[in-house]
Amino acid sequence: MAQATSRPEARYSADAAGLGTPRAAAFIAPAMALIAVFLVFPALWVIYLGLTNYRLTGLAAAEPQFVGLDNFVKAVSDEGFWNSAWLTVQFVLGSAVIGQVVLGFTIAWLLRDRQGPLKRVVEGLVILAWILPGAVVSFLWIALLDRDGGTLNALLGIPGFAWLLDHPMLSIIIFNTWRGTAFSMMLYGAALGNVPPSHLESARLAGASGWQQLRDVVFPHIRGHILTNLLLISLWTFNDFTPFLLTAGGPDHKSEVLAVHVYNVALRGGELGFGAAVSTIILLINLVVAVFYLRLLRRKS
C-alpha cells in the first residue's frame, strides 16, 4: 500500500502544480503554437529569403533564384549598412542606455518619497508620452521642431533653424528619450520601493553622501532591475522604426538607423532578398546583446 501511494509522489515530485507532463504540455501548447506561427516561422522565412535574390517586382519576384550567402557578403561590405549600424549604436547609447536609464531613474528617485498632486501630474505626463501612438507623437515633435513655424524656434527666438536637417540624430535621440522614459521610470519606481529604508538611514547616520548612498546601498539592491531594464530598452530601441516618421532616415542618410535602412532597401528599393539578409544580421546582433545581458543577470544571481 505504501509502495502504491509513493508512485504518484515520485511521478509529480518535479511538478509543483501536480499536472504531469501530458497535461502541462496541453496547457502550454496554444502559447507554443502562437510563438511558432508568429515568431519562429517568420524568422525562418526571412532567413530563407536572405539566401535568394527575391525582389518586390520583376522576374525575380515571380521566380526567385537561390544565391547562397551573396546577400550577406553584400551587406557586410556595404558602406550604407555600416553607416546605419554606427548610427544605431549612437541611437541606442544616446536614447536608451544614457537617456532613458538616467532620466527614468532620476524621476523615480526624486518622486520616491513624494505624495500628492505633483507626483501624479509628473507620472501622468511621462506615461502619456509613452502610450500615445508613434504617429501622433512624431507629428507633435515635427510641429515643435519645424523650421518655419516650430514652437521651439519661437521660444528660443531663432526662426529658420532646421533642427531635423542640421541635427537629425540629436533630434531623434531626444525624441526617443522623451517618448520611452516612462517604462524605466515605472520599473525603477517599483525597484526603489524594495530598498530597505533602514539601510539608507544607516548610511546617512554614518555620514555617507547622496552619491555614496546610491553607489553602496541603492544600486546593489536594484542591480537586477537595472540590467533587465537595459536589456529590454536596448532591444526595443535597436529595432525602433519610429525615427522614420520624424526624418525618414535623412537628410542624406544621416539618421538612417538599421530599422529604417531595412525598410529603404527592401520596400523602397525592392530588394527583398537583400533586405532579409540585413534583417537576419540584425537578428543575430539582437541575440548577442540579449546573451550578454543574460550572462550579467546570471552572474548577479
Side-chain angles (χ1 to χ4, degrees), residues 9-48:
E9 294 179 2
R11 180 182 178 184
Y12 300 128
S13 60
D15 185 1
L19 293 175
T21 301
R23 282 182 289 180
F27 270 104
I28 67 172
M32 297 304 295
L34 291 175
I35 292 174
V37 171
F38 293 106
L39 291 179
V40 177
F41 174 74
L44 295 177
W45 181 248
V46 167
I47 294 173
Y48 165 73

Side-chain angles (χ1 to χ4, degrees), residues 108-260:
W109 178 255
L110 293 176
L111 297 178
R112 71 191 187 283
D113 296 326
R114 293 185 179 273
Q115 300 296 332
L118 177 61
K119 180 177 182 178
R120 290 193 292 270
V121 169
V122 173
E123 289 178 340
L125 290 175
V126 175
I127 294 174
L128 181 64
W130 188 42
I131 64 177
L132 283 174
V136 175
V137 176
S138 300
F139 175 79
L140 294 175
W141 273 77
I142 290 173
L144 174 69
L145 302 177
D146 185 65
R147 181 196 308 198
D148 299 321
T151 306
L152 184 59
N153 284 349
L155 292 174
L156 298 179
I158 49 174
F161 191 86
W163 293 95
L164 296 176
L165 295 178
D166 296 336
H167 303 284
M169 280 304 299
L170 179 62
S171 298
I172 65 174
I173 286 174
I174 295 176
F175 158 78
N176 195 63
T177 300
W178 174 84
R179 180 170 175 258
T181 296
F183 180 82
S184 297
M185 180 196 72
M186 292 187 294
L187 189 147
Y188 289 136
L192 290 173
N194 295 325
V195 179
S198 59
H199 292 193
L200 290 172
E201 184 63 26
S202 299
R204 279 193 292 266
L205 293 176
S209 64
W211 165 246
Q212 289 173 330
Q213 294 175 39
L214 288 174
R215 183 192 64 191
D216 300 329
V217 178
V218 176
F219 289 153
H221 273 90
I222 66 172
R223 183 172 181 268
H225 297 81
I226 294 174
L227 292 175
T228 301
N229 183 54
L230 279 171
L231 169 61
L232 294 175
I233 63 175
S234 295
L235 295 180
W236 290 341
T237 304
F238 193 93
N239 300 286
D240 191 14
F241 184 71
T242 312
F244 177 84
L245 302 176
L246 220 61
T247 63
D252 194 25
H253 306 286
K254 291 181 179 178
S255 62
E256 189 180 74
V257 294
L258 281 173
V260 178

